[in-house]
Amino acid sequence: MRPLKIVILTPDPERFRGALTLAAAQAALGTQVTIFCQLEAAALLRPPFTAPNDAVHQAAGLPTLDDLMSDAAGLGVRFIACQSGMELCGMKASDLAPHTSTGGPVSFLQSVADGHRLVVV
């Protein structure tokens, strides 16, 4: 399958939950997946990983945001925090989850080849 690249535009944890679900499913199928959190969405890559609806999801037998993040990382999903977004959020590289790298829109877009799928949420 073609590699999947996902861009997260806002720091909405529920949108992030959806992106993580798709990313983990795609990675479980053996496809390379990268999630780029742009601008303020970089804050989503700072532990702890929680969302307002975690209890509702957990009560329904679904994973919490932290569980999804752990699963996605374990499946090899790559995470990139926007460097400008980190500055906006007052973050340092040491604030990020261990499986997260930093980059910018230019380097991210350079990694998107013609055959890749690009999803923006």
Side-chain angles (χ1 to χ4, degrees), residues 5-6 17-18 20 25 27 29 43-44 47 68 78 80 108 115:
K5 309 280 186 164
I6 301 173
R17 182 190 308 276
L20 284 172
L29 293 171
L44 293 167
L68 281 171
R78 245 183 100 216
I80 304 171
F108 173 75

Side-chain angles (χ1 to χ4, degrees), residues 83-94:
Q83 292 168 318
S84 297
M86 290 175 61
E87 184 67 28
L88 284 170
C89 298
M91 295 171 60
K92 300 175 281 201
S94 60

Side-chain angles (χ1 to χ4, degrees), residues 3-121:
L4 175 62
K5 309 280 186 164
I6 301 173
V7 180
I8 310 292
L9 296 176
T10 63
D12 179 337
E14 294 307 326
R15 281 183 169 282
F16 190 46
R17 182 190 308 276
L20 284 172
T21 301
L22 291 175
Q26 191 65 60
L29 293 171
T31 304
Q32 179 190 45
V33 181
T34 303
I35 294 179
F36 176 66
C37 291
Q38 186 177 20
L39 296 176
E40 289 93 343
L44 293 167
L45 297 174
R46 176 178 28 204
F49 303 108
T50 61
N53 291 335
D54 273 345
V56 173
H57 282 257
Q58 198 168 31
L62 299 170
T64 63
L65 191 65
D66 187 59
D67 293 336
L68 281 171
M69 187 65 165
S70 179
D71 291 347
L75 289 165
V77 173
R78 245 183 100 216
F79 296 92
I80 304 171
C82 176
Q83 292 168 318
S84 297
M86 290 175 61
E87 184 67 28
L88 284 170
C89 298
M91 295 171 60
K92 300 175 281 201
S94 60
D95 295 329
L96 297 170
H99 49 272
T100 304
S101 60
T102 61
V106 172
S107 62
F108 173 75
L109 289 173
Q110 284 177 326
S111 76
V112 180
D114 289 339
H116 293 180
R117 290 171 293 156
L118 181 63
V119 177
V120 179
V121 282

